């Protein structure tokens, strides 16, 4: 009796264990190293790599070697014991330039001229009749990036028989911004709580911290701002700095520097000063000493990220000073340690009645050239706030004497949270490819960001993280693609979103073309789909207020006008849209003349941006010969139809995807469909009050009344503090 019980217990445990092994909870992200099933591919790899060897003993090289071992043992199903400095045949060799033999160095001389300090070379070399693949770089971090990229070749089943890959990042600072609070809530976070367990740090190092660093390094991210820009000064106290140091120690072997957000009033809150005036000597000294204290603990600390005089955050203007005074004071404190200050340009004031879209440009452009060399201005991709579609921010290209970095939002605050499948690299690509015309045709935003347009030494890009402690990190399995895609574009802002989707799908799910082709198509379309069912034709910021979940075009009762959706859509009997032309707020004049003219004229303004720049009559005829009202309604319907199509496409994919992730995506697409219909019906019913027109026959009749939609309340929608 006892034996039987024991036996069944053992069998159950074994079963649970094996199910756990087989289960795909998404934790491994795109670093899935399952054994390659294609025999031809596998045999090519096994005959090309017989041994692994390396040179160097830094913690970065150790990280590269252990990733190669992990990857090869999984993908090829064979253990490789790495030898130091072996030179047998069919070798995979890893080591930085200074570790290479004379012959190898000679062989790679020209290639090294093509890479920068973080770049890598992966090359097949035949020396004295012996074949080897060499993964190298000028520094160890280049070797680590090379190792991840080599594994990606295997994951995506590329031939490795004659390799010659030379690649370098085009942007210096490639970072994630976590809007994580010290109580572990995440502002605009939809994937659980913060990864950083401040309570158990610094003594407890969660495996997640290491896997977070691996994932980031695999796509070339080299920085992380750990804390919310709506900052808490406590992070700068010794108690918390010890915890930051612990994280910095974990991330260092993966080439990732830590940054924290600096609350401008910290000298008062934790320093016992009576002012935070940036020109006050005591304040300057306080920051100087605080910075010294930080660098003593974390010698490679990256620097500060600052949100000042924005949405209630303190800043230099509280003392009659300006952004230059504030940023330069902090820049002087970090300069001796090669630190940088990322000063955000996301500002708009309750005392300024001009169009919110104009305020950042007006406030910052006059300061062009006045910031210290180690200050970089962090600018959101558009002038309002991470909308499903915004024209590029007019500041890009308008401050030739100041480094500007891009801020994209990876977390889907305005794009359906982590329940909607939206592939954001498509949005990023649109912005990066936009032409500012600041130095004639071809002056793209990408060229501003990578510094080539104005010969900038300091370059950067930040993505507001969509990561939390959900088992799969991002909530929606496809939201992982947005983290991945951000990293890839940060490395190379000229990459195509399609290439990135292809790579990600192969690494994350399957190499089967019957899966890749339809799902890639679905991903590429998904951004336009969300624009259509939320904010078509240039509409913007009509989400319900506070949490930004679902539609709320009717909201008009908030204290600040620009917090109300009615401010943005201006719907009335005459039409809809924000007049930002010369007859309106004249925001168009903040662009280079070629772009200003294009946007200013209703005939040349791209229809996708029409209502961003123009207040347009309901009867205005668009290029397809239909009225504006019909176009708006049809776009909402198209959005819904496309989600239906996404859902049907996904439902035919069960043979290519593990059960867990298949079901997750299936359920999430059902939610997305429900919410797309909600958006369509609520917005059309609301706008119809002004247009007073029938819905075109293609548009489904709403199942609820406008009053019903207006009555919906979500006090506990994720991403905000309930008291807000
Ligand atoms: C961190 C928007 C968001 C805020 C965010 C702010 C910012 O307003 O709704 O949650 O605050 O942008 O970028 O600073």
């Amino acid at each position: 009796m006892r034996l039987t019980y024991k036996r069944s217990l053992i069998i159950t445990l074994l079963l649970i264990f094996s199910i756990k092994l087989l289960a795909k909870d998404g934790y491994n992200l795109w670093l899935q190293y399952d054994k390659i099933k294609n025999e031809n591919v596998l045999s090519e790899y096994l005959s090309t790599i017989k041994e692994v060897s390396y040179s160097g003993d830094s913690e970065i090289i150790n990280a590269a070697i252990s990733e190669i071992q992990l990857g090869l043992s999984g993908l090829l199903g064979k253990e490789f014991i790495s030898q130091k400095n072996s030179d047998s045949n069919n070798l995979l060799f890893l080591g930085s330039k200074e570790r290479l033999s004379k012959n190898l160095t000679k062989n790679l001389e020209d290639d090294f001229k093509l890479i920068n300090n973080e770049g890598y070379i992966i090359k097949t070399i035949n020396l004295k009749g012996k074949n080897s693949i060499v993964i190298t770089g000028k520094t160890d971090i280049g070797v680590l990036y090379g190792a991840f990229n080599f594994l990606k070749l295997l994951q995506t089943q590329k031939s490795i028989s004659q390799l010659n890959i030379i690649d370098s990042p085009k942007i210096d600072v490639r970072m994630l911004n976590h809007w994580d609070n010290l109580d572990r809530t995440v502002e605009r976070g939809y994937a659980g709580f913060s990864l950083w367990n401040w309570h158990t740090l610094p003594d407890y190092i969660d495996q997640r911290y290491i896997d977070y660093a691996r994932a980031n390094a695999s796509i070339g991210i080299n920085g992380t701002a750990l804390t919310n820009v709506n900052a808490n000064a406590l992070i700068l106290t010794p108690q918390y700095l010890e915890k930051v140091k612990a994280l910095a120690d974990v991330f260092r072997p993966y080439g990732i520097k830590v940054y924290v957000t600096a609350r401008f009033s910290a000298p008062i809150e934790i320093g016992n000063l009576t002012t935070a005036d940036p020109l006050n000597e005591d304040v300057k000294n306080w920051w100087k000493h605080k910075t010294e204290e930080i660098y003593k603990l974390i010698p490679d600390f990256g620097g500060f990220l600052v949100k000042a005089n924005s949405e209630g955050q303190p800043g230099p203007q509280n003392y009659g000073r300006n952004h230059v005074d504030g940023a330069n004071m902090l820049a002087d404190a970090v300069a001796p340690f090669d630190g940088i200050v990322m000063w955000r340009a996301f500002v708009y004031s309750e005392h300024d009645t001009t169009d919110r879209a104009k305020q950042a440009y007006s406030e910052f452009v006059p300061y062009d050239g006045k910031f210290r060399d180690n200050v970089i201005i962090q600018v959101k991709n558009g002038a309002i706030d991470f909308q499903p579609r915004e024209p590029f921010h007019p500041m890009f290209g308008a401050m030739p004497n100041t480094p500007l970095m891009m801020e994209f939002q990876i977390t889907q605050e305005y794009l359906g949270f982590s329940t909607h499948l939206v592939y954001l690299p498509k949005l990023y690509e649109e912005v990066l490819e936009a032409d500012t015309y600041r130095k004639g045709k071809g002056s793209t935003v990408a060229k501003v960001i990578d510094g080539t347009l104005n010969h900038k030494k300091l370059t950067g890009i930040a993505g507001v993280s969509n990561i939390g402690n959900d088992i799969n990190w991002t909530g929606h399995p496809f939201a992982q693609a947005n983290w991945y895609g951000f990293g890839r574009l940060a490395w190379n802002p000229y990459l195509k979103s399609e290439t990135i989707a292809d790579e990600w799908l192969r690494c994350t799910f399957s190499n089967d073309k019957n899966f890749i082709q339809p799902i890639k198509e679905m991903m590429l379309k998904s951004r336009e789909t969300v624009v259509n069912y939320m904010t078509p034709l240039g509409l913007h910021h009509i989400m319900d207020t506070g949490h930004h979940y679902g539609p709320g075009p009717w909201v008009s009762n908030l204290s600040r006008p620009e917090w109300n959706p009615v401010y943005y859509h201006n719907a009335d009997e005459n039409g809809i849209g924000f007049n930002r032309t010369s007859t309106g707020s004249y925001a168009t004049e903040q662009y280079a003349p070629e772009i200003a003219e294009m946007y200013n004229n209703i005939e040349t303004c791209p229809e996708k941006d029409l209502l961003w720049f123009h207040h347009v009559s309901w009867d205005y005829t668009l290029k397809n010969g239909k009225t504006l009202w019909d176009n708006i309604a049809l776009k909402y319907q198209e959005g819904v139809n496309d989600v239906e199509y996404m859902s049907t496409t996904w439902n035919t994919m069960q043979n290519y995807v593990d059960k867990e992730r298949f079901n997750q995506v299936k359920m999430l697409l059902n939610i997305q469909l429900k919410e797309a219909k909600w958006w369509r019906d609520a917005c059309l019913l609301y706008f119809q009050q002004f247009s007073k027109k029938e819905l075109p026959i293609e548009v489904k009749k709403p199942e609820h009344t406008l009053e019903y939609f207006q009555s919906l309340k979500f006090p506990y929608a994720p991403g905000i503090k309930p008291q807000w």
Side-chain angles (χ1 to χ4, degrees):
M1 189 61 190
R2 245 209 201 151
L3 253 182
T4 329
Y5 171 73
K6 248 189 175 173
R7 263 178 66 183
S8 67
L9 188 73
I10 290 168
I11 291 169
T12 316
L13 285 176
L14 279 174
L15 214 78
I16 291 172
F17 183 62
S18 58
I19 287 172
K20 233 187 143 26
L21 279 184
L22 292 176
K24 288 275 183 202
D25 52 22
Y27 181 84
N28 288 338
L29 297 160
W30 48 88
L31 300 174
Q32 310 274 347
Y33 297 142
D34 295 338
K35 187 164 178 204
I36 293 167
K37 291 197 193 89
N38 183 323
E39 287 300 331
N40 293 338
V41 175
L42 187 62
S43 80
E44 182 207 316
Y45 293 168
L46 284 169
S47 60
T48 314
I49 313 165
K50 295 248 157 82
E51 222 178 89
V52 176
S53 153
Y54 69 101
S55 177
D57 44 24
S58 69
E59 42 181 16
I60 298 180
I61 289 295
N62 291 340
I65 285 297
S66 48
E67 196 67 33
I68 285 284
Q69 280 172 340
L70 183 73
L72 292 187
S73 68
L75 290 158
L76 308 187
K78 181 181 156 192
E79 295 300 323
F80 289 84
I81 312 292
S82 316
Q83 316 276 347
K84 260 200 165 178
N85 299 318
S86 156
D87 73 342
S88 55
N89 203 1
N90 300 114
L91 195 67
L92 176 67
F93 177 80
L94 290 91
S96 67
K97 186 177 179 191
E98 61 186 23
R99 298 285 184 159
L100 302 183
S101 67
K102 270 203 189 114
N103 276 339
L104 268 182
T105 317
K106 222 171 133 210
N107 229 284
L108 295 168
E109 217 166 7
D110 289 339
D111 299 330
F112 276 117
K113 288 186 194 137
L114 300 176
I115 60 169
N116 62 30
N117 277 341
E118 292 179 293
Y120 65 87
I121 300 166
I122 306 176
K123 195 157 181 161
T124 307
I125 291 187
N126 187 295
L127 273 182
K128 297 185 198 149
K130 287 181 183 169
N131 265 326
S132 53
I133 295 172
V134 178
I135 301 178
T136 186
K138 285 183 179 159
T139 60
D140 288 349
I141 195 64
V143 178
L144 179 69
Y145 289 149
F148 276 114
N149 280 286
F150 177 74
L151 289 171
K152 189 166 72 189
L153 294 175
L154 308 192
Q155 287 179 282
T156 53
Q157 303 191 0
K158 301 279 181 312
S159 169
I160 57 164
S161 62
Q162 273 309 320
L163 292 172
N164 187 10
I165 301 172
I166 299 166
D167 200 8
S168 289
K170 294 189 190 300
I171 295 175
D172 305 328
V173 179
R174 308 177 295 278
M175 69 178 327
L176 291 183
N177 286 183
H178 288 266
W179 287 356
D180 293 17
N181 299 313
L182 299 185
D183 62 4
R184 292 194 80 180
T185 55
V186 180
E187 186 161 343
R188 311 308 179 184
Y190 313 105
F193 286 96
S194 170
L195 287 187
W196 325 132
N197 189 339
W198 298 109
H199 181 64
T200 54
L201 280 165
D203 303 311
Y204 187 91
I205 300 300
D206 195 321
Q207 177 63 31
R208 277 227 154 180
Y209 305 151
I210 302 161
D211 291 331
Y212 166 86
R214 285 177 53 230
N216 278 324
S218 76
I219 47 176
I221 285 173
N222 66 358
T224 180
L226 300 172
T227 45
N228 192 352
V229 287
N230 289 332
N232 186 330
L234 279 184
I235 194 69
L236 299 170
T237 58
Q239 186 193 2
Y240 276 91
L241 287 174
E242 283 292 341
K243 299 169 194 280
V244 174
K245 173 194 159 30
L247 289 174
D249 291 343
V250 175
F251 300 159
R252 192 168 297 111
Y254 295 90
I256 297 166
K257 284 186 182 183
V258 299
Y259 300 75
V260 295
T261 44
R263 183 158 165 89
F264 206 77
S265 49
I268 303 172
E269 288 162 25
I270 57 167
N272 288 325
L273 298 189
T274 51
T275 176
D277 180 350
L279 299 192
N280 177 293
E281 286 308 313
D282 291 339
V283 172
K284 286 190 205 170
N285 277 328
W286 188 86
W287 281 109
K288 191 169 162 276
H289 291 133
K290 184 47 72 186
T291 306
E292 283 163 4
E293 182 189 336
I294 298 175
Y295 278 94
K296 225 183 221 159
L297 284 171
I298 310 165
D300 58 351
F301 177 68
F304 296 123
L305 169 63
V306 190
K307 171 174 177 177
N309 293 122
S310 161
E311 297 186 331
Q313 291 297 301
Q317 290 170 357
N318 298 35
Y319 306 94
R321 314 297 182 195
N322 60 36
H323 291 292
V324 178
D325 299 326
N328 286 354
M329 183 267 297
L330 288 174
D332 289 342
V334 294
F337 311 97
D338 292 331
I340 62 167
V341 170
M342 293 163 293
W343 193 268
R344 295 177 87 230
F346 177 68
V347 294
Y348 60 99
S349 157
E350 65 262 50
H351 308 298
D352 191 342
T353 52
T354 55
D355 177 3
R356 170 174 166 185
K358 291 181 76 174
Q359 295 185 28
Y361 179 104
S362 310
E363 208 165 312
F364 275 85
V365 172
Y367 297 134
D368 186 26
K370 300 210 163 59
F371 293 95
R372 298 275 193 268
D373 289 348
N374 59 337
V375 174
I376 186 161
I377 305 299
Q378 184 165 311
V379 185
K380 288 189 181 182
N381 59 272
I384 296 289
D385 195 9
F386 298 138
Q387 295 303 295
R389 169 165 282 126
E390 292 195 41
F392 72 88
H393 203 303
M395 281 177 70
F396 291 115
M399 294 181 72
N401 303 306
T402 309
L404 296 192
M405 69 188 278
M406 171 66 75
E407 180 175 334
F408 282 130
Q409 196 177 42
I410 313 175
T411 190
Q412 294 169 234
E413 174 181 357
Y414 296 101
L415 288 110
F417 295 9
S418 268
T419 29
H420 292 205
L421 191 162
V422 186
Y423 177 60
L424 291 177
K426 197 75 187 155
L427 183 163
Y428 307 153
E429 177 182 55
E430 180 177 285
V431 176
L432 292 164
E433 285 179 350
D435 198 340
T436 70
Y437 272 87
R438 286 293 176 185
K439 283 190 154 179
K441 194 169 163 44
S443 309
T444 59
V445 172
K447 287 187 185 169
V448 176
I449 296 310
D450 77 0
T452 51
L453 191 69
N454 295 305
H455 315 292
K456 287 282 146 293
K457 282 207 211 89
L458 178 59
T459 58
I461 183 164
V464 179
S465 155
N466 62 348
I467 305 167
N469 70 350
D470 272 9
I471 187 77
N472 72 0
W473 306 81
T474 55
H476 199 304
F478 274 77
Q480 295 178 354
N482 296 335
W483 175 8
Y484 181 89
F486 166 77
R488 298 290 288 126
L489 284 165
W491 179 276
N492 179 356
Y494 302 95
L495 277 179
K496 291 278 153 218
S497 61
E498 180 175 356
T499 314
I500 299 171
D502 195 276
E503 249 170 52
W504 178 80
L505 281 170
R506 287 173 193 277
C507 293
T508 310
F509 285 108
S510 160
N511 276 282
D512 195 315
K513 66 174 186 333
N514 296 323
F515 173 78
I516 300 285
Q517 196 270 335
I519 300 303
K520 185 166 70 181
E521 209 175 285
M522 170 179 112
M523 286 170 78
L524 293 175
K525 209 169 172 198
S526 62
R527 188 285 185 116
E528 205 56 43
T529 299
V530 77
V531 169
N532 286 339
Y533 66 71
M534 283 189 187
T535 53
L537 297 167
L539 284 173
H540 50 288
H541 224 309
I542 56 172
M543 295 75 196
D544 202 355
T545 42
H547 48 60
H548 299 151
Y549 172 58
W554 45 81
V555 178
S556 63
N557 59 353
L558 299 180
S559 56
R560 286 174 64 166
E562 74 285 1
W563 282 353
N564 291 300
V566 294
Y567 170 91
Y568 297 98
H569 63 67
N570 284 296
D572 58 20
E573 286 182 1
N574 300 321
I576 181 169
F578 200 123
N579 183 358
R580 295 196 163 102
T581 69
S582 46
T583 61
S585 78
Y586 213 2
T588 49
E589 74 171 345
Q590 292 184 334
Y591 289 96
E594 293 86 341
I595 302 289
E597 232 166 78
M598 174 186 72
Y599 284 145
N600 209 49
N601 181 344
I602 193 166
E603 297 294 323
T604 55
C605 180
E607 286 184 350
K608 63 182 169 56
D609 300 316
L610 189 63
L611 306 178
W612 186 283
F613 289 110
H614 297 265
H615 188 75
V616 183
S617 129
W618 297 110
D619 289 321
Y620 179 78
T621 312
L622 268 66
K623 296 205 174 68
N624 61 6
K626 296 187 170 131
T627 62
L628 173 69
W629 168 251
D630 280 359
N631 269 285
I632 292 178
L634 290 168
K635 283 280 178 203
Y636 274 108
Q637 183 63 47
E638 188 183 331
V640 172
N641 296 347
D642 285 345
V643 183
E644 247 154 22
Y645 150 83
M646 280 159 76
S647 175
T648 346
T649 310
W650 183 257
N651 290 347
T652 61
M653 292 294 140
Q654 60 269 56
N655 291 343
Y656 307 102
V657 186
D658 50 283
K659 212 166 146 206
E660 290 75 9
R661 289 184 297 175
F662 176 77
N663 281 332
Q664 279 173 8
V665 175
K666 186 177 163 168
M667 290 186 286
L668 287 163
L669 281 167
N670 286 340
I671 299 179
Q672 185 169 359
L673 182 57
K674 221 161 64 183
E675 296 191 353
K677 289 179 182 167
W678 170 28
W679 267 95
R680 175 197 61 194
D681 295 349
C683 291
L684 289 178
L685 280 173
Y686 172 73
F687 292 136
Q688 198 173 29
Q689 299 179 111
F690 304 100
S691 80
K692 301 191 167 50
K693 290 177 187 303
E694 288 297 310
L695 290 173
I697 45 163
E698 297 89 332
V699 179
K700 263 197 111 186
K701 299 267 169 304
E703 282 171 18
H704 298 280
T705 61
L706 178 59
E707 291 66 36
Y708 165 79
F709 291 117
Q710 288 176 324
S711 73
L712 299 175
K713 296 282 172 282
F714 305 95
Y716 300 109
I720 53 162
K721 289 199 167 77
Q723 70 264 27
W724 285 12

